[in-house]
Amino acid sequence: MSSSTPQLLAGLNPQQLAAVTLPPQHALILAGAGSGKTRVLTTRIAWLISTTQVSPHSVLAVTFTNKAAKEMLTRLSAMLPINTRGMWIGTFHGLCNRLLRAHHKEAGLPQLFQILDQADQLSAIKRLLKSLDVDDEKFPPRELQHFINAQKEQGTRAGAVEAWDDFSRKRVELYEAYERQCQREGVVDFAELLLRSFELLERNEILCRHYQQRFRHILVDEFQDTNKLQYRWLKLLAGGGACLFAVGDDDQSIYGFRGAEVGNMRDLEREFKVANVIRLEQNYRSHGNILDAANAIIKNNASRLGKNLWTDAGSGEPIRVFEAINDLEEARWLVEEIRSLTREGHSRSEIALLYRSNAQSRVLEHALFNAGLPYRVYGGLRFFERQEIKHALAYLRLIANPDDDTAFARVVNFPTRGIGARSLEQLADLAQAQGSSLHAAIGQLSGKAQVALAAFAQLIARMKEGSAGLPLPEVVDHVLALSGLIEHYRNEKEGQDRLANLDELINAAASFVSEEWQRETIEANAAEQSDLAAFLAHAALEAGEHQAGDSDEAIQLMTVHSAKGLEFNVVFLSGLEEGLFPHENSLLEEKGLEEERRLMYVAVTRARQQLYLSFAETRMLHGQTRYNLVSRFLDEIPKDLLKWLTPKLRNAYGAEAQTKSAPAQTAPPLRQAKSVQRESPGGLQIGQNVRHAKFGVGVIINAEGSGTDARVQINFGHAGMKWLALSIAKLTPA
DNA sequence: TGGGAGTGCTTTTTT
DNA sequence: AGCACTCCCA
């Protein structure tokens, strides 16, 4: 045992210590929110290397996000005086990319294969449908994309999909055609990175054995987020006797909608014969009240592995609850509350404003902006997803591989160079007929189209020649200049930001080259490929920050999903309303409500010291006023943990009848939907709470007809949305 | 080619 | 409401 070991293990609690120092065997660590999960994972690696003669070379650590991978690497190099170079630490996609680059021949890929991000994939699918003359009403590109990805994530190739009717047969045909198109163009989508490297190992016994023997320890972060294919990938790699060390929290599985299988945790336990699951239940993050609330909420889920967080911190402040008349009032209140918090000395960046869906951010932003409070929104367009950056990257991709039709189609006429839709159609037909790329078909064109397109081909050739031997940033610079993008945006009215971003791309290339140490580990084998190819892969695999360079002292706005893994001193959770959170769409799905509840659990456990919950009776959504009941999740929190800032339960969920308190402020007049009476027949009002013998309490949200035809639509929360005829249903004001 | 009008969709999202 | 997308005309 090395002398640094005691230091390494200092301060770990007994469960953490047990996890870190587990003898070589498969392990499942059930790590609750704020229980020191990342610390355990990194310390485990450090401990393995420093005490058991495990070489860094034989460690494989997988995460889901680049951020997590970097974090792990940073902590590790602080703990160990070793070179992290030879280690395989990265995201599933990053590592698969690395694997495929190293063995591109065996995987049947060109050395410089390009990676399609979500948007690229969609446009490739659109192009495919067009070339095959498929009605995109019958096969919406987005649905097809989802179908293809879902199949790949199950590890299912087109040939293996079962199809019984014409529609599904056609869909499978398109999946197959898509695979062929990608193969011809030398491009690979995200799911393909996984599937292709899985197949590579599965089919190539020598290679498989090589990696199985190399990696003696495989560690997985956020295991509850793995999908079927990732599980099989891990199982294959661990098949040679490696130890699988998986860390996860079933209660924080919130990505079921994109293929994550919480069931993988149980499967792991069973298939890998995990002797005893270690639970990390001591929470170092939140005060007691917050934790109690989180535990109370998650207890309502039936399918759990079971876990109860505790803390030895005090119970802290109560959870404050605010009921607003509408979303505007909610936002106004938030601003005021944030103001007084900052006056008390809270740092703005330690205050987070969370919401279920992005559409909710607008009102909040508006209020913050008007109040002059700096804020930062996560989500939305990332750096490498911006139009101008994607254009620039497309040129770079064409240098690396002129057969990349996605890139070709993107910039062949941007900036415009007189290549119209007609010419491109001709070209596409030719390419389709001879099964070649667009670029390769240019030679066979004739007439006017030929001239313009040949000039474009020449431009690409010139870019390639001109950048030969140059360092990467200069390559980017050179290509930008020749492409005409700079000029184009200079002439555009609103082009200033875009120009700045293009400049930033050169900087990004420069820092990419200089950050070699990370690249070696996280991205790919830099020695085996050009800087350009590595940079392009980097751009696809890591879309970059959402916003560059904003002030750090800003309120943090984000969806609950993107808050996972983060923590803040103060958390505001807004829009706690039935239909919004839990989201109405989730109620249609089996297990949907449980996932929503886990989402709620994640939201609550982000807070260290203070948690605020708010909801509004009325909210503008999609241009219409909606009347909502308070979220059932609020009801699941023990009353004694809550402190109401407004008269309690004006708008009760399944409520005991309340004295209807006069609105604190004058409510804006209820906006009426087109052709719907404000005053519904029978003296009931839209927005009014009513009670029904069977469905309980609900809010009238719509009305139509008159006399015996009169009907009202009521949101009953639990019991759902109902249209009831007034002549039949007995409704009493609640 | 580019802009203006008309249409339709709208949960969550990393890679 | 707001945004992305398509279509059609100057």
Side-chain angles (χ1 to χ4, degrees):
Chain A
M1 214 178 246
S2 97
S3 59
S4 66
T5 309
Q7 204 181 328
L8 209 58
L9 303 179
L12 295 176
N13 69 32
Q15 292 74 33
Q16 291 174 329
L17 189 65
V20 166
T21 59
L22 214 58
Q25 65 190 48
H26 299 310
L28 177 59
I29 314 299
L30 214 50
S35 65
K37 168 185 67 113
T38 312
R39 180 168 180 206
V40 165
L41 209 46
T42 43
T43 314
R44 167 76 174 175
I45 298 176
W47 183 82
L48 283 170
I49 292 172
S50 59
T51 65
T52 64
Q53 265 102 46
V54 167
S55 127
H57 182 81
S58 54
V59 171
L60 177 71
V62 202
T63 64
F64 275 85
T65 67
N66 291 297
K67 207 171 148 198
K70 266 186 203 148
E71 169 82 12
M72 200 183 283
L73 210 52
T74 310
R75 289 207 200 183
L76 206 51
S77 37
M79 277 185 221
L80 281 180
I82 55 150
N83 195 337
T84 50
R85 274 190 159 214
M87 301 183 72
W88 280 49
I89 295 182
T91 63
F92 276 103
H93 294 85
L95 295 171
C96 287
N97 176 49
R98 185 171 180 168
L99 207 60
L100 292 175
R101 298 278 168 196
H103 309 286
H104 63 92
K105 276 210 195 80
E106 295 89 330
L109 289 169
Q111 190 190 358
L112 296 183
F113 70 84
Q114 295 297 314
I115 299 166
L116 301 184
D117 67 14
Q118 203 100 276
D120 294 332
Q121 185 188 31
L122 187 62
S123 61
I125 288 173
K126 283 180 183 167
R127 202 153 36 72
L128 177 80
L129 294 180
K130 208 163 209 171
S131 78
L132 295 180
D133 245 334
V134 174
D135 182 2
D136 59 3
E137 304 246 302
K138 223 171 157 190
F139 293 94
R142 273 181 193 288
E143 266 172 37
L144 194 56
Q145 179 181 32
H146 183 255
F147 169 75
I148 291 172
N149 289 339
Q151 294 307 317
K152 288 190 182 185
E153 278 160 14
Q154 297 281 322
T156 316
R157 286 292 181 194
V161 182
E162 291 182 10
W164 305 105
D165 57 293
D166 284 352
F167 175 77
S168 355
R169 262 193 294 274
K170 182 70 184 169
R171 203 164 57 168
V172 173
E173 238 172 70
L174 291 171
Y175 177 12
E176 210 159 14
Y178 170 75
E179 284 183 331
R180 276 199 306 273
Q181 175 178 292
C182 288
Q183 188 61 33
R184 195 187 66 233
E185 295 176 10
V187 295
V188 158
D189 59 48
F190 285 140
E192 184 74 22
L193 283 172
L194 260 309
L195 183 50
R196 190 67 76 103
S197 67
F198 173 75
E199 289 172 346
L200 170 71
L201 295 174
E202 197 185 35
R203 288 173 192 168
N204 194 320
E205 208 179 307
I206 296 170
L207 251 173
C208 187
R209 207 170 309 135
H210 167 80
Y211 283 102
Q212 282 179 338
Q213 278 162 12
R214 168 174 176 171
F215 298 123
R216 306 315 300 158
H217 290 273
I218 300 176
L219 301 96
V220 195
D221 191 15
E222 306 272 19
F223 187 78
Q224 77 281 357
D225 286 337
T226 51
N227 62 34
K228 274 259 139 55
L229 180 56
Q230 286 159 338
Y231 182 80
R232 289 170 64 193
W233 189 88
L234 290 167
K235 201 171 153 184
L236 184 60
L237 269 177
C243 296
L244 190 59
F245 187 91
V247 181
D249 181 359
D250 55 322
D251 290 334
Q252 290 188 72
S253 157
I254 54 174
Y255 287 108
F257 70 94
R258 63 170 201 223
E261 295 265 355
V262 214
N264 284 346
M265 298 186 84
R266 282 222 159 88
D267 288 353
L268 177 89
E269 202 181 334
R270 199 184 61 243
E271 296 187 349
F272 285 77
K273 305 194 170 53
V274 176
N276 51 338
V277 176
I278 296 182
R279 285 176 163 74
L280 306 182
E281 299 178 297
Q282 182 172 5
N283 174 292
Y284 296 94
R285 180 186 295 156
S286 310
H287 284 160
N289 287 340
I290 294 169
L291 223 46
D292 289 349
N295 283 332
I297 291 164
I298 202 67
K299 220 174 53 204
N300 292 294
N301 271 3
S303 45
R304 293 181 68 207
L305 295 179
K307 185 167 41 51
N308 214 25
L309 289 182
W310 61 276
T311 178
D312 57 16
S315 44
E317 309 255 336
I319 295 165
R320 295 187 169 81
V321 187
F322 183 82
E323 171 174 12
I325 306 253
N326 57 31
D327 46 352
L328 297 173
E329 195 204 1
E330 183 186 40
R332 268 197 303 263
W333 165 74
L334 277 162
V335 164
E336 277 319 306
E337 204 64 44
I338 289 171
R339 273 217 178 108
S340 65
L341 284 168
T342 51
R343 266 198 303 271
E344 285 166 23
H346 281 277
S347 153
R348 281 193 293 271
S349 58
E350 274 303 331
I351 300 176
L353 239 162
L354 309 183
Y355 34 81
R356 171 69 238 271
S357 60
N358 282 308
Q360 290 166 249
S361 78
R362 182 158 314 159
V363 188
L364 304 175
E365 282 185 65
H366 190 78
L368 289 168
F369 183 84
N370 285 339
L373 282 169
Y375 63 91
R376 186 180 166 165
V377 189
Y378 289 78
L381 212 51
R382 320 254 292 318
F383 181 73
F384 285 109
E385 291 166 359
R386 284 164 198 280
Q387 180 207 133
E388 61 276 18
I389 300 301
K390 293 222 98 177
H391 282 136
L393 291 175
Y395 281 103
L396 291 168
R397 274 163 60 169
L398 286 175
I399 297 187
N401 168 20
D403 294 332
D404 184 339
D405 283 358
T406 305
F408 187 98
R410 181 171 196 108
V411 292
V412 62
N413 199 34
F414 194 97
T416 52
R417 36 179 81 88
I419 300 172
R422 270 190 331 279
S423 313
L424 285 178
E425 223 164 276
Q426 262 179 54
L427 186 67
D429 286 347
L430 264 171
Q432 170 81 9
Q434 64 189 43
S436 77
S437 70
L438 295 170
H439 180 266
I442 289 176
Q444 278 79 269
L445 276 170
S446 57
K448 241 201 271 170
Q450 215 275 325
V451 181
L453 277 158
F456 180 68
Q458 243 166 40
L459 173 67
I460 300 300
R462 267 212 317 269
M463 285 177 169
K464 188 167 183 168
E465 283 161 29
S467 49
L470 291 181
L472 181 64
E474 286 175 44
V475 172
V476 178
D477 195 12
H478 175 71
V479 167
L480 280 179
L482 280 186
S483 69
L485 284 173
I486 303 268
E487 213 184 325
H488 174 266
Y489 287 121
R490 201 175 280 142
N491 295 330
E492 204 178 70
K493 277 186 294 246
E494 318 259 312
Q496 289 318 302
D497 284 354
R498 300 200 191 274
L499 281 175
N501 283 332
L502 288 177
D503 240 12
E504 193 53 40
L505 183 64
I506 302 176
N507 292 338
S511 54
F512 177 76
V513 175
S514 69
E515 276 168 17
E516 209 181 347
W517 68 274
Q518 281 192 348
R519 216 170 85 225
E520 291 262 326
T521 320
I522 291 182
E523 311 254 343
N525 225 331
E528 291 183 27
Q529 59 177 321
S530 68
D531 278 350
L532 176 58
F535 183 59
L536 289 171
H538 166 81
L541 289 174
E542 187 174 359
E545 285 287 298
H546 288 291
Q547 272 168 13
D550 270 10
S551 100
D552 293 331
E553 242 320 87
I555 319 273
Q556 314 280 304
L557 269 69
M558 66 194 85
T559 63
V560 180
H561 279 93
S562 30
K564 192 173 97 167
L566 306 178
E567 54 184 89
F568 308 90
N569 287 342
V570 183
V571 168
F572 288 88
L573 180 56
S574 66
L576 265 183
E577 295 140 39
E578 283 293 302
L580 212 63
F581 197 4
H583 196 278
E584 53 202 0
N585 294 358
S586 73
L587 303 178
L588 306 172
E589 298 153 27
E590 171 160 0
K591 300 273 171 197
L593 183 62
E594 295 220 336
E595 181 148 320
E596 292 288 303
R597 191 173 280 115
R598 290 193 292 267
L599 202 48
M600 179 72 186
Y601 175 78
V602 168
V604 168
T605 52
R606 296 310 95 195
R608 291 196 195 102
Q609 302 160 6
Q610 292 191 57
L611 177 63
Y612 289 84
L613 308 174
S614 66
F615 61 100
E617 292 172 21
T618 304
R619 179 179 298 277
M620 276 293 256
L621 199 67
H622 309 320
Q624 280 205 315
T625 307
R626 297 174 36 129
Y627 302 86
N628 293 317
L629 294 169
V630 62
S631 169
R632 67 191 73 189
F633 296 148
L634 185 55
D635 236 33
E636 293 174 1
I637 302 175
K639 304 281 171 284
D640 58 328
L641 301 177
L642 303 177
K643 178 180 175 187
W644 286 78
L645 302 178
T646 39
K648 195 179 170 188
L649 291 180
R650 276 205 299 254
N651 174 358
Y653 177 78
E656 16 5 314
Q658 299 288 323
T659 25
K660 206 150 171 107
S661 57
Q665 293 166 33
T666 28
L670 293 174
R671 197 91 56 82
Q672 48 175 307
K674 279 162 282 174
S675 79
V676 168
Q677 306 93 311
R678 156 128 174 58
E679 185 94 8
S680 75
L684 296 170
Q685 274 197 352
I686 289 180
Q688 184 179 344
N689 283 3
V690 290
R691 178 184 298 279
H692 181 272
K694 185 159 154 224
F695 303 130
V697 174
V699 193
I700 301 182
I701 62 165
N702 213 341
E704 65 178 31
S706 59
T708 49
D709 289 339
R711 305 192 309 144
V712 288
Q713 190 179 23
I714 302 177
N715 180 356
F716 283 110
H718 266 316
M721 205 80 93
K722 312 274 182 213
W723 274 104
L724 299 176
L726 287 182
S727 53
I728 301 169
K730 280 213 176 62
L731 296 173
T732 52

